[in-house]
Amino acid sequence: MGPDVIRSAADRGRRVFERGDVIGASALVACVVVSVIAADGVALKVVVAVLGLCAELGMVLSGRAMPTPLTWFGVALTIGTGFAIMALVPEGLGEVPVLAAAAVLPMCVPAGPVRNACVALLAAGFGVAVMVIFGSVAGLLSAVGVWLLADRSIEHAALQAERDRAVALLAEVEASRASRQEAAALEERRRIAHEMHDVLAHSLAGLSMQLQAVRAVARRDGAPATLTGPLDSAAELARDGVQEARAAVGALRSVPLRGVADVDGLTRGFPGEARLRVSGRAGRLTPEAGHAVYRAVQEAMTNAARYATGSAIDVDLVWEGAELRAVVRDHGLPAGRGPSGVQGSGTGLRGMAERIEAVGGSVTAGPAPEGPGWRIALRVPVVEEGSGAGVVTASEDGAAAGGAVAGSTDIGGMTTDGKAGA
């Protein structure tokens, strides 16, 4: 089994295009079209159109989730083309690319004097450009707008980062709360088992001994069968009661297991957006296999909350004849967002793989092949029909574990390399 691998910066930097990206790109295209129409002459129109395409390209490059040299180049390209369009076509809307870049610029530079200097330089340049192009000293006031726009962007990013961290921490708290509840329930079961053992089992055992003594005395004294017969039946019932009491005590002392049916509770209680899909004809799993699937899905969802905060999580349970395939996939960090900063212990995937392999299954993890994001897939064997001892169906395992809800998961890919767990 390979070592756990935390997502690389390159993977975290993969962006997911959302509705806001489409709206922003469409608005920028509209501004470029207006500038092209306002340009005089075919040659100038072509130049402005090329500059507009460069500005659009720059915004695409600057929208990556993690700052890279390519991101900084995109911001600089958008700013430069915006100023060029302003100079060539004063009647156009070259100011829009500059303002759009001003909102992105603070996200590309670490907080501190360097960021402040970059924002101040851009604001001053924009104010001077507006003053020169429109021939009015009042144009310098536009620099204030650039500064406020950048400052608003910084505040929004800080608020979003805190929200992402809160979501990740809440996911951790929910997982910890569930573990504490299970531990408390187990402790209560053990207490009840101890009480039953001390009271019921001991009482029945004492009763059985008394009945055996009375029966021996009756036989010694030659008592008739009408007396010894009921004594024999009572002694047999006492012996059976002792065995049943011991079995009940043993069941109470055993650890209650979650199952596939409880995965629905995970998705419903997840602090972010989680979607559950179940397909195929439900088969039969051993209690240990169902519990392993539940824990694996829980760990995968917690990992997604840490490293792809803000992304929707898809959980798929697919019953495929001889096995259950579970897949948990996120869609990568949304544009302009970073990881929550909540770190796990780095042993989550290893523990997940060991748990699944112990029940005869396998785990694979890695970048999602169908798009941005991370995917963890697992497979566990389904118990064959006819070997019903110690197995439960998907609809029964939740009740057997003390709760009933439906669930699903899917994971696929590489060996056991992947995102580090809690």
Side-chain angles (χ1 to χ4, degrees):
M1 179 169 50
D4 288 358
V5 179
I6 298 179
R7 292 184 177 192
S8 65
D11 179 69
R12 293 196 301 265
R14 297 173 69 179
R15 72 169 296 175
V16 179
F17 287 96
E18 300 177 334
R19 185 174 62 178
D21 299 315
V22 177
I23 295 175
S26 301
L28 190 57
V29 169
C31 294
V32 171
V33 171
V34 171
S35 299
V36 170
I37 294 174
D40 294 330
V42 176
L44 185 57
K45 290 181 184 293
V46 172
V47 171
V48 172
V50 172
L51 290 173
L53 291 177
C54 291
E56 187 73 36
L57 175 61
M59 289 305 298
V60 171
L61 296 177
S62 65
R64 298 178 64 82
M66 297 294 290
T68 65
L70 199 60
T71 304
W72 302 327
F73 172 75
V75 174
L77 180 62
T78 303
I79 294 173
T81 52
F83 278 127
I85 294 175
M86 288 175 61
L88 293 174
V89 188
E91 299 82 3
L93 296 176
E95 300 87 352
V96 174
V98 180
L99 295 175
V104 177
L105 177 62
M107 305 301 101
C108 303
V109 183
V114 176
R115 174 198 279 177
N116 295 336
C118 290
V119 174
L121 183 62
L122 176 59
F126 185 77
V128 171
V130 172
M131 180 187 68
V132 172
I133 292 173
F134 295 99
S136 173
V137 179
L140 288 174
L141 295 177
S142 60
V144 178
V146 172
W147 183 274
L148 293 177
L149 181 62
D151 189 61
R152 177 66 180 83
S153 178
I154 293 172
E155 292 178 356
H156 176 74
L159 180 63
Q160 187 65 63
E162 287 301 318
R163 178 186 176 278
D164 290 346
R165 181 174 176 81
V167 169
L169 288 174
L170 184 57
E172 299 275 357
V173 168
E174 285 295 323
S176 177
R177 182 184 62 82
S179 298
R180 288 198 303 270
Q181 286 181 341
E182 291 179 9
L186 178 58
E187 183 61 29
E188 180 65 12
R189 288 163 66 95
R190 286 175 176 169
R191 187 191 66 79
I192 295 174
H194 183 73
E195 294 293 333
M196 287 182 60
H197 182 270
D198 288 347
V199 177
L200 185 58
H202 285 177
S203 299
L204 288 174
L207 175 62
S208 178
M209 293 177 61
Q210 292 294 329
L211 288 172
Q212 290 175 18
V214 171
R215 185 179 58 179
V217 171
R219 285 184 175 178
R220 185 194 64 187
D221 294 342
T226 56
L227 177 61
T228 58
L231 288 174
D232 290 339
S233 298
E236 185 68 24
L237 288 173
R239 282 197 301 271
D240 291 344
V242 170
Q243 296 300 323
E244 292 176 2
R246 288 174 177 171
V249 168
L252 281 172
R253 283 176 173 167
S254 63
V255 179
L257 300 179
R258 296 280 187 174
V260 175
D262 296 294
V263 175
D264 183 63
L266 287 178
T267 57
R268 292 178 183 274
F270 186 70
E273 181 183 359
R275 300 183 289 252
L276 173 65
R277 293 188 295 266
V278 183
S279 61
R281 181 181 178 183
R284 299 165 67 85
L285 297 177
T286 63
E288 293 76 13
H291 187 69
V293 171
Y294 174 86
R295 290 302 186 197
V297 174
Q298 184 182 48
E299 177 64 29
M301 293 180 65
T302 304
N303 275 359
R306 292 191 195 107
Y307 303 110
T309 314
S311 168
I313 299 175
D314 292 327
V315 181
D316 296 304
L317 290 179
V318 184
W319 297 91
E320 296 179 334
E323 66 181 13
L324 168 64
R325 184 166 61 92
V327 178
V328 180
R329 184 215 163 173
D330 61 65
H331 297 270
L333 285 168
R337 305 265 280 275
S340 66
V342 178
Q343 296 294 328
S345 65
T347 61
L349 183 62
R350 183 182 296 113
M352 180 193 306
E354 290 173 351
R355 189 191 298 270
I356 294 297
E357 289 171 359
V359 296
S362 62
V363 176
T364 56
E370 62 272 26
W374 195 264
R375 177 174 127 154
I376 297 179
L378 61 91
R379 297 173 183 269
V380 293
V382 174
V383 177
E384 296 181 0
E385 294 294 335
S387 56
V391 300
V392 291
T393 64
S395 60
E396 296 168 346
D397 64 351
V405 260
S408 82
T409 298
D410 170 25
I411 306 170
M414 314 169 347
T415 55
T416 53
D417 294 333
K419 160 177 69 172

